Amino acid sequence: MFDFLDVDWWSLALPFAYISVLAGMLYTFSNIYRKRKASQLANLEPWFPPHLQRQVYSSLLEIAHSDAGEKKTKVPDSVIRAALLRRAVEDIGRIIQVRQAKQALNVLLQRGSVGEDLNQRFQRAEKEIEEELREVVMEANALVPGWGNTIFQSANEMAANAMVRERLDEIQAQTETEKEWWEKRRETIRQDFEKELNDEGQPKVDAKAVISDDDGVLVDSATATPSKKKKGKK
Amino acid sequence: MAQPADDIIEILPLDIDPQTKAIGAPGLSSNKALQAELAALNSLHRTLLTLETPSQIPPPPIPVNPKRSAQIGKLKDSGNDCYRKGKYAEAVKFYGLGIDMALKRPLWEPQQLVREEVAALFANRAQAHMGLTSWAEGAVDAEASVEAKRVGNAKAWWRRGRCLVEMGRLEEAREWVGRGLEMEGEEADLKALLAEVDTKLAQAKSS
């Protein structure tokens, strides 16, 4: 019995070993390969920076829930509503960015000017923003029934309005420098004009003054032949 | 796997002031973006609290509360009256008040409305500045008006062009008026101004 098993075992050992090594290699290979791929995907740089407004909103909700029973200041609902609105405004900005990027990206992809990983990052961003919108609408409806229908309308106007005001402020901020520039410029124009007038009106006096100021040695000859000197000076 | 970062949201150590209900993050004072965001949040919160709607959420953009529109209209009319009587400095003041009033509209009101109002007011203030021969201010105001409303705003295009000519910035004026013509199509006043700029430029070159 023992002899029989022992022999059989040994003769089968080689094929078994072969199979197990093969299977092991395949397993490790696929494992490593998949892990690498996953980590590559996960390590793709996100399209957008972290969503600060969303963090604030979630943190406020967290504080509201944990504090509710015990102590001090309750977070008022109005603050949470404001935080959600801020979050919706940020989302609008992101949607606009995604829409703008989409066309350009498609063209670039067709030409092969950008890599596949950029495309993957983008698609992930698109999915994320869709999820985010749904979530915000749900949260809004939970806070105030029916708010989900209008929150993005309001947020849209808020984003656009903020942009208009920013541009207008930029333009209006130039007023002071423009004014200063013009004051100076007008002054120089006026001086030039006066000089011209003086030159035409009383050339002799002007010439004397200029020369005697500039150069003491020349004064004598200058008084003798003022008009000539003036020409020389100019 | 699709959104690994989504599942974990960092909870920020936020703090709430018991009296003012203002949110702050005393532990993260070095985080400028967060501080700015919290400031924006608090100011939005305060404006929300002044709302008269039942649940204190912003109403849908349309219809607009008519009170502010009426006030802005009134300021504009006063400005126009002063302008007509030749009191340009006062007209500038009234238009300025109107602009402030229009820009202080709650942010969730339609931006198109704000653009229209502000474009008209800036254009009028530019004209009043031109009456005072303060060309620099006039040029800036007209540019702001164009920024608020690019098409169908030929007057503002013309006014900045005029101001630039008066300040002797001919090249700039030509470029500006050229752009204006692209936006407005064949506008007689703009064309005349362009012709004027061109002759002045030619003169400057020949002399």
Side-chain angles (χ1 to χ4, degrees):
Chain A
M1 187 67 175
F2 265 118
D3 278 358
F4 170 71
L5 230 176
D6 208 28
V7 172
D8 210 13
W9 181 252
W10 278 113
S11 65
L12 280 177
L14 200 63
F16 269 128
Y18 176 69
I19 288 172
S20 57
V21 166
L22 200 67
M25 272 167 65
L26 279 175
Y27 176 75
T28 30
F29 174 76
S30 85
N31 221 356
I32 289 173
Y33 180 75
R34 257 190 273 164
K35 255 186 207 155
R36 253 191 214 170
K37 197 134 203 211
S39 76
Q40 238 173 20
L41 272 182
N43 283 341
L44 278 181
E45 207 182 327
W47 193 269
F48 292 115
H51 202 316
L52 187 61
Q53 285 79 2
R54 192 175 136 168
Q55 280 180 5
V56 170
Y57 178 75
S58 309
S59 310
L60 283 176
L61 275 190
E62 193 70 21
I63 294 171
H65 284 308
S66 63
D67 278 4
E70 3 171 323
K71 48 169 184 173
K72 50 176 189 178
T73 43
K74 223 174 141 257
V75 180
D77 281 352
S78 50
V79 171
I80 292 180
R81 284 197 289 267
L84 187 64
L85 199 55
R86 290 284 309 161
R87 185 173 158 187
V89 172
E90 170 65 19
D91 287 342
I92 292 284
R94 290 183 177 210
I95 295 172
I96 293 172
Q97 274 184 42
V98 162
R99 280 196 196 142
Q100 280 173 348
K102 190 165 188 167
Q103 287 179 349
L105 191 69
N106 279 341
V107 174
L108 288 176
L109 268 178
Q110 274 169 10
R111 283 196 208 141
S113 317
V114 292
E116 183 56 29
D117 59 335
L118 191 72
N119 193 31
Q120 272 176 355
R121 278 174 55 198
F122 181 73
Q123 277 169 357
R124 217 171 76 184
E126 244 183 336
K127 251 184 238 154
E128 261 172 43
I129 196 88
E130 267 172 36
E131 283 291 316
E132 167 71 14
L133 294 190
R134 224 169 292 144
E135 210 183 306
V136 168
V137 169
M138 267 165 43
E139 296 276 335
N141 279 331
L143 285 175
V144 180
W147 192 22
N149 298 328
T150 57
I151 183 170
F152 276 110
Q153 284 179 34
S154 303
N156 191 18
E157 295 300 340
M158 286 172 76
N161 268 317
M163 226 145 70
V164 173
R165 281 164 177 70
E166 199 179 313
R167 280 291 301 143
L168 288 178
D169 282 348
E170 255 170 49
I171 291 176
Q172 286 292 305
Q174 298 168 4
T175 311
E176 278 309 308
T177 46
E178 287 276 315
K179 229 162 98 181
E180 260 169 43
W181 176 87
W182 173 236
E183 293 290 329
K184 254 186 226 157
R185 169 106 187 119
R186 191 157 55 181
E187 196 55 29
T188 49
I189 290 175
R190 203 174 56 82
Q191 279 171 358
D192 282 353
F193 192 62
E194 269 175 12
K195 217 192 241 167
E196 235 169 75
L197 272 186
N198 283 344
D199 284 355
E200 276 167 22
Q202 350 161 262
K204 283 182 189 174
V205 177
D206 195 37
K208 257 187 212 165
V210 167
I211 290 158
S212 56
D213 274 344
D214 274 351
D215 205 330
V217 185
L218 283 176
V219 167
D220 281 351
S221 55
T223 42
T225 52
S227 59
K228 214 176 166 188
K229 270 295 150 196
K230 189 194 158 226
K231 263 179 207 159
K233 266 282 166 188
K234 279 247 155 170
Chain B
M1 195 189 77
Q3 304 165 10
D6 268 14
D7 304 322
I8 320 141
I9 290 179
E10 191 192 343
I11 300 299
L12 304 164
L14 297 181
D15 210 45
I16 182 159
D17 192 298
Q19 259 95 54
T20 58
K21 305 287 180 206
I23 305 293
L28 288 172
S29 50
S30 58
N31 187 342
K32 286 239 176 67
L34 177 64
Q35 296 298 337
E37 168 57 30
L38 290 180
L41 172 64
N42 287 329
S43 78
L44 176 63
H45 179 216
R46 278 194 298 277
T47 39
L48 282 184
L49 283 181
T50 61
L51 280 177
E52 288 153 12
T53 47
S55 48
Q56 292 190 324
I57 55 166
I62 305 166
V64 179
N65 182 358
K67 247 191 259 168
R68 193 177 286 257
S69 307
Q71 278 172 323
I72 294 168
K74 220 181 273 169
L75 283 169
K76 190 177 157 192
D77 288 342
S78 320
N80 287 347
D81 280 345
C82 288
Y83 182 82
R84 244 175 266 128
K85 284 178 201 151
K87 297 185 207 153
Y88 299 128
E90 273 171 54
V92 166
K93 219 179 281 165
F94 276 120
Y95 291 137
L97 287 174
I99 289 166
D100 286 345
M101 181 74 87
L103 288 180
K104 275 195 199 122
R105 264 181 195 285
L107 285 173
W108 49 82
E109 289 189 0
Q111 55 127 350
Q112 200 53 43
L113 180 70
V114 177
R115 278 177 181 273
E116 292 281 339
E117 283 170 352
V118 165
L121 285 164
F122 270 125
N124 286 3
R125 195 166 79 173
Q127 198 180 20
H129 276 309
M130 286 166 75
L132 291 170
T133 66
S134 36
W135 309 113
E137 290 95 320
V140 171
D141 275 351
E143 190 185 356
S145 173
V146 167
E147 174 62 35
K149 187 180 169 201
R150 280 185 185 278
V151 183
N153 201 0
K155 275 188 202 161
W157 283 101
W158 185 85
R159 279 172 199 162
R160 179 166 166 86
R162 180 87 257 168
C163 289
L164 290 175
V165 171
E166 294 293 342
M167 287 191 285
R169 288 147 77 168
L170 295 175
E171 292 287 346
E172 217 175 313
R174 189 162 75 172
E175 198 206 317
W176 174 263
V177 176
R179 263 171 56 204
L181 278 171
E182 273 169 31
M183 297 300 269
E184 300 289 342
E186 301 298 297
E187 179 70 37
D189 285 344
L190 280 177
K191 268 172 124 178
L193 185 59
L194 187 64
E196 189 191 325
V197 174
D198 277 338
T199 47
K200 276 198 178 162
L201 270 173
Q203 273 174 13
K205 248 177 223 162
S206 63
S207 67

